[in-house]
Every structure is written in structure tokens, then in C-alpha cells.
Amino acid sequence: MIPERLTLATATGLPFVALALHVAAGVAAFVSGSIAIAARKGGDWHRRSGQVFAGAMIATGLLAVGIAIYEGKPS
């Protein structure tokens, strides 16, 4: 039986890895974005955490596209 939606609890193999990385990238984006907001604008912490935020958001988006394609959902 194929589930209608993938969840971390029922996914195995590559879908599980993709979902776990998607969640981890989202958490990294949240944390680094919070640091970027709290840090002094233009400072080292602001710049570095902003770069991490941008990379994490790109990773989250790409993983979301891959998961949607795997599920067969039209975008």
C-alpha cells in the first residue's frame, strides 16, 4: 500500500533521508536567520549567518522540489 503523503514515521531509505535533510535545513535556516536578525548589521556574525541562512533556504527548496516530484504532485 502506497501512502498518500510521505511522513518521517513511515518513510524509509532515500525518502527518509530527503525528509530528514529537508527538516534539518529548515531548522538551520531558522537558527541562522535568527542570529542574522539579532547580530549587528554588517558585522561578521551577521554576514556569516546570512550566508548560512541563504544556503539552508536553497537546500530546503531543492529538497522540497525533489520530494514533490517523488510524490508525483504537480507544482
Side-chain angles (χ1 to χ4, degrees):
M1 182 169 126
I2 299 173
E4 289 187 31
R5 290 186 168 268
L6 288 174
T7 62
L8 278 175
T10 60
T12 59
L14 191 56
F16 176 80
V17 172
L19 285 167
L21 289 174
H22 177 72
V23 170
V27 170
F30 180 77
V31 171
S32 62
S34 298
I35 293 170
I37 289 171
R40 185 177 50 115
K41 187 174 180 179
D44 287 340
W45 280 93
H46 178 81
R47 185 179 69 253
R48 289 182 182 151
S49 60
Q51 290 172 341
V52 170
F53 173 78
M57 288 302 293
I58 291 169
T60 301
L62 291 174
L63 286 163
V65 169
I67 292 167
I69 290 170
Y70 178 80
E71 286 187 352
K73 307 282 186 204
S75 299

